[in-house]
Amino acid sequence: MEHAAVTALGSLVVGVVGGTFGVGGGIFLVPLLVWTGLRPVEAVGVSLFCVLGTSVGASSVALKNGEANLGLSLLLEPFLLVGAVGAGVLAPHLGDAALLYAFAALLLLIAATTALGGRAAAPVAPSGGPGVFDGVSGGDAYRPQRLAAVPPTMLAAGAAAGLFGIGGGAVVVPLLAQVVRLPMRAATATSTVSLMVTAGAAGAVHLVHGTVPLGSVAWALLGVIPGGLVGARLQSRLSHRVLRVVFALLALVVAISVALRARGMS
Amino acid sequence: MTAADKAPARDITRIVLVVAVCGGLLLVVGAALRLVGDADRGLLSLGAAVFLATPLARNAAVLARERRRPLLLLALVGAAALLAVYGWAAWRLLGAA
């Protein structure tokens, strides 16, 4: 009973934080679940189910308002899936401490890239005939560029998702905005839609390995989904600059705490 | 985006939400029953299976509603890849049971 209450309440907080910063919440949920007593690989399994839940909620909005580029999302998904399944097979064979150290390194990387920021590349308007992946964002039409960069980067993003139980948006969104040159809102929306497949496939692999405590999944879902909805409302009230600084600091603090936890395990 | 363009997206969204909510509810009810009593894992496992079927339901909805051939092909490839993973998972889980 105590574990269920702590997981639900903690996940609610994680959902609010994740929704506020526009991330799936996996990067904060995995440390929380480890703190509640789950093994790191079990925390990853539970987090993948929660990423699937938050992706369903957010993508319903993204598809309805037309910001998500469904065609591009369908192109990304097979590569994300292969990366996620490969990492999902590997994850249970890693030691607990090794997984946590790698997770801390990923958090540091995310904190650094968020803090340094960078201006999104300008979208390119379609020219000539209609393109398969053309989209519209904020009333302006755009055409995705450099699609050859999609396979290797999506394999890496999928692997990060399957290994660490994160959505992979931290990798997918910058790629879509900087390289494929999608408008930022379209990049976030398209990434959100794609993560459903990544989390589903990696979640199934973790289920096979017996590393998904389904009771914890239920309690975490109860917290993380309403929390995410509250966080998404908060996001629009805070400045982008403040959000970026706070998110980077929070990721840094969580990275240090995860590394200390890993040190205690090794 | 025209109303005609939005219709498939609306249908896809509806199907995805229904499958995910059903799976989520089964999971929560299964977890609650296990918490208060001595229920077995059947409902939890069923909930997990339905919940995981969400992306597959989305691809099925795209296949049913989309008219652009390249997107149909991509949805078909995605659905086949997911079916392969889920089929392997079901085979392993049912084999172990």
Side-chain angles (χ1 to χ4, degrees), chain A residues 217-245:
Chain A
V217 169
W219 306 129
L221 279 174
L222 269 185
V224 85
I225 291 180
L229 293 173
V230 173
R233 282 174 182 269
L234 281 177
Q235 188 186 38
S236 57
R237 297 181 187 183
L238 297 170
S239 93
H240 185 67
R241 191 184 162 82
V242 169
L243 280 173
R244 218 171 68 184
V245 172

PDB file of all heavy atoms in Angstrom, chain A residues 217-245:
ATOM      1  N   VAL A 217       3.381  -0.039 -12.617  1.00  0.00           N
ATOM      2  CA  VAL A 217       2.972   0.659 -13.844  1.00  0.00           C
ATOM      3  C   VAL A 217       1.627   1.352 -13.608  1.00  0.00           C
ATOM      4  O   VAL A 217       1.451   2.535 -13.939  1.00  0.00           O
ATOM      5  CB  VAL A 217       2.845  -0.327 -15.035  1.00  0.00           C
ATOM      6  CG1 VAL A 217       2.163   0.341 -16.223  1.00  0.00           C
ATOM      7  CG2 VAL A 217       4.201  -0.853 -15.446  1.00  0.00           C
ATOM      8  N   ALA A 218       0.679   0.608 -13.016  1.00  0.00           N
ATOM      9  CA  ALA A 218      -0.661   1.160 -12.798  1.00  0.00           C
ATOM     10  C   ALA A 218      -0.602   2.409 -11.914  1.00  0.00           C
ATOM     11  O   ALA A 218      -1.187   3.446 -12.246  1.00  0.00           O
ATOM     12  CB  ALA A 218      -1.560   0.098 -12.155  1.00  0.00           C
ATOM     13  N   TRP A 219       0.133   2.339 -10.802  1.00  0.00           N
ATOM     14  CA  TRP A 219       0.185   3.487  -9.876  1.00  0.00           C
ATOM     15  C   TRP A 219       0.933   4.662 -10.512  1.00  0.00           C
ATOM     16  O   TRP A 219       0.564   5.821 -10.313  1.00  0.00           O
ATOM     17  CB  TRP A 219       0.824   3.097  -8.542  1.00  0.00           C
ATOM     18  CG  TRP A 219       0.145   1.907  -7.924  1.00  0.00           C
ATOM     19  CD1 TRP A 219       0.730   0.773  -7.452  1.00  0.00           C
ATOM     20  CD2 TRP A 219      -1.264   1.720  -7.733  1.00  0.00           C
ATOM     21  NE1 TRP A 219      -0.216  -0.110  -7.002  1.00  0.00           N
ATOM     22  CE2 TRP A 219      -1.442   0.442  -7.155  1.00  0.00           C
ATOM     23  CE3 TRP A 219      -2.389   2.496  -7.997  1.00  0.00           C
ATOM     24  CZ2 TRP A 219      -2.701  -0.067  -6.841  1.00  0.00           C
ATOM     25  CZ3 TRP A 219      -3.642   1.988  -7.682  1.00  0.00           C
ATOM     26  CH2 TRP A 219      -3.787   0.727  -7.112  1.00  0.00           C
ATOM     27  N   ALA A 220       1.988   4.355 -11.255  1.00  0.00           N
ATOM     28  CA  ALA A 220       2.742   5.434 -11.898  1.00  0.00           C
ATOM     29  C   ALA A 220       1.887   6.126 -12.966  1.00  0.00           C
ATOM     30  O   ALA A 220       1.906   7.353 -13.081  1.00  0.00           O
ATOM     31  CB  ALA A 220       4.023   4.883 -12.519  1.00  0.00           C
ATOM     32  N   LEU A 221       1.103   5.332 -13.720  1.00  0.00           N
ATOM     33  CA  LEU A 221       0.226   5.925 -14.748  1.00  0.00           C
ATOM     34  C   LEU A 221      -0.819   6.849 -14.114  1.00  0.00           C
ATOM     35  O   LEU A 221      -1.129   7.911 -14.652  1.00  0.00           O
ATOM     36  CB  LEU A 221      -0.501   4.819 -15.530  1.00  0.00           C
ATOM     37  CG  LEU A 221       0.269   4.139 -16.653  1.00  0.00           C
ATOM     38  CD1 LEU A 221      -0.539   2.985 -17.220  1.00  0.00           C
ATOM     39  CD2 LEU A 221       0.603   5.122 -17.771  1.00  0.00           C
ATOM     40  N   LEU A 222      -1.328   6.424 -12.940  1.00  0.00           N
ATOM     41  CA  LEU A 222      -2.337   7.235 -12.245  1.00  0.00           C
ATOM     42  C   LEU A 222      -1.799   8.615 -11.888  1.00  0.00           C
ATOM     43  O   LEU A 222      -2.543   9.593 -11.836  1.00  0.00           O
ATOM     44  CB  LEU A 222      -2.776   6.529 -10.957  1.00  0.00           C
ATOM     45  CG  LEU A 222      -3.965   5.600 -11.034  1.00  0.00           C
ATOM     46  CD1 LEU A 222      -4.333   5.101  -9.645  1.00  0.00           C
ATOM     47  CD2 LEU A 222      -5.171   6.278 -11.686  1.00  0.00           C
ATOM     48  N   GLY A 223      -0.486   8.680 -11.621  1.00  0.00           N
ATOM     49  CA  GLY A 223       0.101   9.974 -11.246  1.00  0.00           C
ATOM     50  C   GLY A 223       0.604  10.765 -12.431  1.00  0.00           C
ATOM     51  O   GLY A 223       0.357  11.967 -12.552  1.00  0.00           O
ATOM     52  N   VAL A 224       1.291  10.077 -13.325  1.00  0.00           N
ATOM     53  CA  VAL A 224       2.053  10.797 -14.348  1.00  0.00           C
ATOM     54  C   VAL A 224       1.149  11.440 -15.418  1.00  0.00           C
ATOM     55  O   VAL A 224       1.475  12.521 -15.934  1.00  0.00           O
ATOM     56  CB  VAL A 224       3.116   9.855 -14.959  1.00  0.00           C
ATOM     57  CG1 VAL A 224       2.592   9.006 -16.086  1.00  0.00           C
ATOM     58  CG2 VAL A 224       4.336  10.632 -15.438  1.00  0.00           C
ATOM     59  N   ILE A 225      -0.004  10.830 -15.716  1.00  0.00           N
ATOM     60  CA  ILE A 225      -0.852  11.391 -16.782  1.00  0.00           C
ATOM     61  C   ILE A 225      -1.566  12.680 -16.330  1.00  0.00           C
ATOM     62  O   ILE A 225      -1.429  13.716 -16.995  1.00  0.00           O
ATOM     63  CB  ILE A 225      -1.818  10.319 -17.326  1.00  0.00           C
ATOM     64  CG1 ILE A 225      -0.975   9.279 -18.094  1.00  0.00           C
ATOM     65  CG2 ILE A 225      -2.874  10.935 -18.240  1.00  0.00           C
ATOM     66  CD1 ILE A 225      -1.752   8.148 -18.695  1.00  0.00           C
ATOM     67  N   PRO A 226      -2.275  12.662 -15.168  1.00  0.00           N
ATOM     68  CA  PRO A 226      -2.866  13.953 -14.747  1.00  0.00           C
ATOM     69  C   PRO A 226      -1.798  15.007 -14.455  1.00  0.00           C
ATOM     70  O   PRO A 226      -1.994  16.185 -14.751  1.00  0.00           O
ATOM     71  CB  PRO A 226      -3.658  13.604 -13.476  1.00  0.00           C
ATOM     72  CG  PRO A 226      -3.307  12.225 -13.110  1.00  0.00           C
ATOM     73  CD  PRO A 226      -2.703  11.564 -14.301  1.00  0.00           C
ATOM     74  N   GLY A 227      -0.653  14.565 -13.920  1.00  0.00           N
ATOM     75  CA  GLY A 227       0.442  15.502 -13.647  1.00  0.00           C
ATOM     76  C   GLY A 227       0.924  16.173 -14.925  1.00  0.00           C
ATOM     77  O   GLY A 227       1.184  17.374 -14.950  1.00  0.00           O
ATOM     78  N   GLY A 228       1.025  15.384 -15.983  1.00  0.00           N
ATOM     79  CA  GLY A 228       1.467  15.913 -17.271  1.00  0.00           C
ATOM     80  C   GLY A 228       0.514  16.963 -17.820  1.00  0.00           C
ATOM     81  O   GLY A 228       0.940  17.975 -18.384  1.00  0.00           O
ATOM     82  N   LEU A 229      -0.793  16.729 -17.610  1.00  0.00           N
ATOM     83  CA  LEU A 229      -1.786  17.689 -18.104  1.00  0.00           C
ATOM     84  C   LEU A 229      -1.676  19.015 -17.345  1.00  0.00           C
ATOM     85  O   LEU A 229      -1.748  20.095 -17.935  1.00  0.00           O
ATOM     86  CB  LEU A 229      -3.203  17.099 -17.947  1.00  0.00           C
ATOM     87  CG  LEU A 229      -3.499  15.885 -18.840  1.00  0.00           C
ATOM     88  CD1 LEU A 229      -4.848  15.275 -18.499  1.00  0.00           C
ATOM     89  CD2 LEU A 229      -3.463  16.276 -20.313  1.00  0.00           C
ATOM     90  N   VAL A 230      -1.460  18.920 -16.015  1.00  0.00           N
ATOM     91  CA  VAL A 230      -1.287  20.143 -15.203  1.00  0.00           C
ATOM     92  C   VAL A 230      -0.012  20.875 -15.650  1.00  0.00           C
ATOM     93  O   VAL A 230       0.001  22.100 -15.829  1.00  0.00           O
ATOM     94  CB  VAL A 230      -1.208  19.785 -13.695  1.00  0.00           C
ATOM     95  CG1 VAL A 230      -0.854  21.011 -12.861  1.00  0.00           C
ATOM     96  CG2 VAL A 230      -2.519  19.192 -13.221  1.00  0.00           C
ATOM     97  N   GLY A 231       1.071  20.104 -15.837  1.00  0.00           N
ATOM     98  CA  GLY A 231       2.352  20.688 -16.244  1.00  0.00           C
ATOM     99  C   GLY A 231       2.256  21.403 -17.579  1.00  0.00           C
ATOM    100  O   GLY A 231       2.822  22.490 -17.761  1.00  0.00           O
ATOM    101  N   ALA A 232       1.516  20.807 -18.526  1.00  0.00           N
ATOM    102  CA  ALA A 232       1.376  21.424 -19.855  1.00  0.00           C
ATOM    103  C   ALA A 232       0.688  22.784 -19.754  1.00  0.00           C
ATOM    104  O   ALA A 232       1.007  23.714 -20.493  1.00  0.00           O
ATOM    105  CB  ALA A 232       0.589  20.491 -20.765  1.00  0.00           C
ATOM    106  N   ARG A 233      -0.244  22.925 -18.799  1.00  0.00           N
ATOM    107  CA  ARG A 233      -0.911  24.216 -18.601  1.00  0.00           C
ATOM    108  C   ARG A 233       0.060  25.229 -17.995  1.00  0.00           C
ATOM    109  O   ARG A 233       0.043  26.414 -18.335  1.00  0.00           O
ATOM    110  CB  ARG A 233      -2.118  24.059 -17.674  1.00  0.00           C
ATOM    111  CG  ARG A 233      -3.299  23.469 -18.377  1.00  0.00           C
ATOM    112  CD  ARG A 233      -4.426  23.202 -17.403  1.00  0.00           C
ATOM    113  NE  ARG A 233      -5.543  22.592 -18.091  1.00  0.00           N
ATOM    114  CZ  ARG A 233      -6.535  23.273 -18.635  1.00  0.00           C
ATOM    115  NH1 ARG A 233      -6.553  24.573 -18.567  1.00  0.00           N
ATOM    116  NH2 ARG A 233      -7.519  22.658 -19.250  1.00  0.00           N
ATOM    117  N   LEU A 234       0.911  24.747 -17.054  1.00  0.00           N
ATOM    118  CA  LEU A 234       1.882  25.640 -16.413  1.00  0.00           C
ATOM    119  C   LEU A 234       2.901  26.166 -17.426  1.00  0.00           C
ATOM    120  O   LEU A 234       3.347  27.306 -17.350  1.00  0.00           O
ATOM    121  CB  LEU A 234       2.646  24.886 -15.312  1.00  0.00           C
ATOM    122  CG  LEU A 234       1.944  24.681 -13.976  1.00  0.00           C
ATOM    123  CD1 LEU A 234       2.821  23.855 -13.050  1.00  0.00           C
ATOM    124  CD2 LEU A 234       1.654  26.032 -13.333  1.00  0.00           C
ATOM    125  N   GLN A 235       3.260  25.292 -18.388  1.00  0.00           N
ATOM    126  CA  GLN A 235       4.311  25.620 -19.351  1.00  0.00           C
ATOM    127  C   GLN A 235       4.032  26.939 -20.078  1.00  0.00           C
ATOM    128  O   GLN A 235       4.935  27.761 -20.253  1.00  0.00           O
ATOM    129  CB  GLN A 235       4.425  24.489 -20.372  1.00  0.00           C
ATOM    130  CG  GLN A 235       5.619  24.636 -21.307  1.00  0.00           C
ATOM    131  CD  GLN A 235       5.609  23.581 -22.397  1.00  0.00           C
ATOM    132  OE1 GLN A 235       4.551  23.219 -22.911  1.00  0.00           O
ATOM    133  NE2 GLN A 235       6.771  23.064 -22.726  1.00  0.00           N
ATOM    134  N   SER A 236       2.762  27.130 -20.462  1.00  0.00           N
ATOM    135  CA  SER A 236       2.436  28.314 -21.255  1.00  0.00           C
ATOM    136  C   SER A 236       2.533  29.597 -20.429  1.00  0.00           C
ATOM    137  O   SER A 236       2.536  30.700 -20.973  1.00  0.00           O
ATOM    138  CB  SER A 236       1.034  28.165 -21.844  1.00  0.00           C
ATOM    139  OG  SER A 236       0.112  27.950 -20.808  1.00  0.00           O
ATOM    140  N   ARG A 237       2.626  29.478 -19.093  1.00  0.00           N
ATOM    141  CA  ARG A 237       2.673  30.677 -18.241  1.00  0.00           C
ATOM    142  C   ARG A 237       4.095  31.085 -17.876  1.00  0.00           C
ATOM    143  O   ARG A 237       4.302  32.120 -17.255  1.00  0.00           O
ATOM    144  CB  ARG A 237       1.892  30.430 -16.945  1.00  0.00           C
ATOM    145  CG  ARG A 237       0.427  30.186 -17.221  1.00  0.00           C
ATOM    146  CD  ARG A 237      -0.335  29.971 -15.954  1.00  0.00           C
ATOM    147  NE  ARG A 237      -1.709  29.572 -16.254  1.00  0.00           N
ATOM    148  CZ  ARG A 237      -2.630  29.364 -15.347  1.00  0.00           C
ATOM    149  NH1 ARG A 237      -2.354  29.524 -14.085  1.00  0.00           N
ATOM    150  NH2 ARG A 237      -3.830  28.986 -15.698  1.00  0.00           N
ATOM    151  N   LEU A 238       5.087  30.252 -18.196  1.00  0.00           N
ATOM    152  CA  LEU A 238       6.468  30.553 -17.813  1.00  0.00           C
ATOM    153  C   LEU A 238       7.293  30.906 -19.051  1.00  0.00           C
ATOM    154  O   LEU A 238       7.018  30.415 -20.147  1.00  0.00           O
ATOM    155  CB  LEU A 238       7.086  29.338 -17.103  1.00  0.00           C
ATOM    156  CG  LEU A 238       6.413  28.934 -15.787  1.00  0.00           C
ATOM    157  CD1 LEU A 238       6.933  27.597 -15.304  1.00  0.00           C
ATOM    158  CD2 LEU A 238       6.645  29.986 -14.725  1.00  0.00           C
ATOM    159  N   SER A 239       8.314  31.749 -18.840  1.00  0.00           N
ATOM    160  CA  SER A 239       9.125  32.151 -20.001  1.00  0.00           C
ATOM    161  C   SER A 239      10.032  30.993 -20.429  1.00  0.00           C
ATOM    162  O   SER A 239      10.473  30.189 -19.612  1.00  0.00           O
ATOM    163  CB  SER A 239       9.962  33.384 -19.665  1.00  0.00           C
ATOM    164  OG  SER A 239      11.238  33.018 -19.211  1.00  0.00           O
ATOM    165  N   HIS A 240      10.306  30.936 -21.740  1.00  0.00           N
ATOM    166  CA  HIS A 240      11.111  29.850 -22.299  1.00  0.00           C
ATOM    167  C   HIS A 240      12.507  29.839 -21.681  1.00  0.00           C
ATOM    168  O   HIS A 240      13.071  28.787 -21.381  1.00  0.00           O
ATOM    169  CB  HIS A 240      11.191  30.033 -23.817  1.00  0.00           C
ATOM    170  CG  HIS A 240      11.885  28.914 -24.515  1.00  0.00           C
ATOM    171  ND1 HIS A 240      11.372  27.638 -24.579  1.00  0.00           N
ATOM    172  CD2 HIS A 240      13.077  28.862 -25.160  1.00  0.00           C
ATOM    173  CE1 HIS A 240      12.193  26.861 -25.248  1.00  0.00           C
ATOM    174  NE2 HIS A 240      13.244  27.580 -25.605  1.00  0.00           N
ATOM    175  N   ARG A 241      13.078  31.027 -21.459  1.00  0.00           N
ATOM    176  CA  ARG A 241      14.435  31.144 -20.913  1.00  0.00           C
ATOM    177  C   ARG A 241      14.501  30.590 -19.482  1.00  0.00           C
ATOM    178  O   ARG A 241      15.399  29.816 -19.146  1.00  0.00           O
ATOM    179  CB  ARG A 241      14.829  32.622 -20.939  1.00  0.00           C
ATOM    180  CG  ARG A 241      16.271  32.880 -20.649  1.00  0.00           C
ATOM    181  CD  ARG A 241      16.500  34.403 -20.608  1.00  0.00           C
ATOM    182  NE  ARG A 241      17.734  34.703 -19.927  1.00  0.00           N
ATOM    183  CZ  ARG A 241      18.923  34.645 -20.502  1.00  0.00           C
ATOM    184  NH1 ARG A 241      19.035  34.288 -21.753  1.00  0.00           N
ATOM    185  NH2 ARG A 241      20.021  34.923 -19.814  1.00  0.00           N
ATOM    186  N   VAL A 242      13.511  30.965 -18.666  1.00  0.00           N
ATOM    187  CA  VAL A 242      13.466  30.473 -17.278  1.00  0.00           C
ATOM    188  C   VAL A 242      13.327  28.953 -17.272  1.00  0.00           C
ATOM    189  O   VAL A 242      14.019  28.251 -16.527  1.00  0.00           O
ATOM    190  CB  VAL A 242      12.283  31.136 -16.513  1.00  0.00           C
ATOM    191  CG1 VAL A 242      12.052  30.462 -15.168  1.00  0.00           C
ATOM    192  CG2 VAL A 242      12.537  32.616 -16.323  1.00  0.00           C
ATOM    193  N   LEU A 243      12.430  28.450 -18.126  1.00  0.00           N
ATOM    194  CA  LEU A 243      12.207  26.999 -18.200  1.00  0.00           C
ATOM    195  C   LEU A 243      13.504  26.265 -18.535  1.00  0.00           C
ATOM    196  O   LEU A 243      13.827  25.236 -17.941  1.00  0.00           O
ATOM    197  CB  LEU A 243      11.170  26.680 -19.289  1.00  0.00           C
ATOM    198  CG  LEU A 243       9.698  26.862 -18.918  1.00  0.00           C
ATOM    199  CD1 LEU A 243       8.825  26.672 -20.141  1.00  0.00           C
ATOM    200  CD2 LEU A 243       9.300  25.878 -17.833  1.00  0.00           C
ATOM    201  N   ARG A 244      14.269  26.827 -19.484  1.00  0.00           N
ATOM    202  CA  ARG A 244      15.502  26.181 -19.938  1.00  0.00           C
ATOM    203  C   ARG A 244      16.531  26.106 -18.810  1.00  0.00           C
ATOM    204  O   ARG A 244      17.139  25.065 -18.571  1.00  0.00           O
ATOM    205  CB  ARG A 244      16.070  26.975 -21.121  1.00  0.00           C
ATOM    206  CG  ARG A 244      16.659  26.084 -22.189  1.00  0.00           C
ATOM    207  CD  ARG A 244      17.009  26.855 -23.407  1.00  0.00           C
ATOM    208  NE  ARG A 244      18.124  27.765 -23.178  1.00  0.00           N
ATOM    209  CZ  ARG A 244      18.582  28.611 -24.078  1.00  0.00           C
ATOM    210  NH1 ARG A 244      18.021  28.684 -25.243  1.00  0.00           N
ATOM    211  NH2 ARG A 244      19.597  29.393 -23.822  1.00  0.00           N
ATOM    212  N   VAL A 245      16.692  27.218 -18.083  1.00  0.00           N
ATOM    213  CA  VAL A 245      17.681  27.265 -16.998  1.00  0.00           C
ATOM    214  C   VAL A 245      17.282  26.311 -15.860  1.00  0.00           C
ATOM    215  O   VAL A 245      18.104  25.529 -15.374  1.00  0.00           O
ATOM    216  CB  VAL A 245      17.825  28.720 -16.461  1.00  0.00           C
ATOM    217  CG1 VAL A 245      18.700  28.738 -15.214  1.00  0.00           C
ATOM    218  CG2 VAL A 245      18.402  29.613 -17.545  1.00  0.00           C
TER     219      VAL A 245
END
